[in-house]
Amino acid sequence: MTISVLLADVQALVRMAFRSLLDTMPGITVVGESANGQESVDPARRTLPDVVLMDVRMPVMDGIEATRRITASTASRVLVLTTFDLDEYAFEGLRAGACGFLLKDVVPAVLQAAIRAVACGDAVLTPRITRGLVDRFAQIAPWPHADDAGTRFAHLTARVS
């Protein structure tokens, strides 16, 4: 199966580098490029790529809004790829429908695996963002009867012994 990819990044040199890298990966083909969020929406609707690699900070329309529009109108999956390691970008990207969030300093093998995972319907997050999501989830969804969690743990470990 060949995975089609659309590149959306404000910097031409970055797009060119990612295209050169992706072109060396078997089973992955780049079907288009865009320099801003607005320019990525129409090609995504037209070419229906399996995965869109989306930068966050772009002129005209940012990557978060572009992600929202692409995921609302196509079956394409968005993988946010940015230099900005900020929780708010990751969380807003996920709320907009992105299936992943990675930093641009990712090694090629991890990027390739992430593209394949996202294309198959899985989610991929940089480890620090995963930790932040786990922490937030723990805050909003505490263990029922948290006051006796220690008692439950003691009971469970006694049964295992």
Side-chain angles (χ1 to χ4, degrees):
M1 167 185 152
T2 299
I3 299 169
S4 57
V5 175
L6 174 69
L7 301 172
D9 196 290
V10 66
Q11 297 177 352
L13 190 57
V14 170
R15 288 192 314 274
M16 188 171 56
F18 278 119
R19 178 184 279 274
S20 295
L21 175 65
L22 295 175
D23 283 344
T24 68
M25 296 177 178
I28 296 177
T29 185
V30 177
V31 295
E33 298 180 18
S34 61
N36 66 59
Q38 180 63 50
E39 287 179 5
S40 66
V41 175
D42 290 335
R45 289 176 179 159
R46 190 174 53 255
T47 63
L48 300 174
D50 298 306
V51 177
V52 178
L53 292 182
M54 182 69 71
D55 193 9
V56 174
R57 287 190 183 175
M58 292 187 287
V60 184
M61 178 188 297
D62 67 31
I64 304 299
E65 182 58 28
T67 295
R68 187 174 289 110
R69 292 182 186 194
I70 290 168
T71 59
S73 62
T74 73
S76 298
R77 293 180 172 94
V78 176
L79 174 57
V80 174
L81 194 60
T82 184
T83 57
F84 301 100
D85 188 10
L86 300 172
D87 287 349
E88 60 264 23
Y89 287 157
F91 299 153
E92 286 302 312
L94 295 172
R95 282 187 196 106
C99 295
F101 183 92
L102 292 176
L103 299 177
K104 288 181 183 174
D105 66 355
V106 67
V107 297
V110 172
L111 178 60
Q112 181 179 17
I115 290 170
R116 291 186 187 290
V118 167
C120 290
D122 291 333
V124 178
L125 298 171
T126 191
R128 196 195 63 72
I129 296 300
T130 302
R131 177 77 253 161
L133 284 173
V134 169
D135 290 345
R136 280 196 177 188
F137 178 76
Q139 290 173 358
I140 63 169
W143 180 270
H145 311 291
D147 55 331
D148 69 21
T151 304
R152 288 178 189 214
F153 179 73
H155 177 70
L156 290 173
T157 54
R159 291 178 67 194
V160 172
S161 307

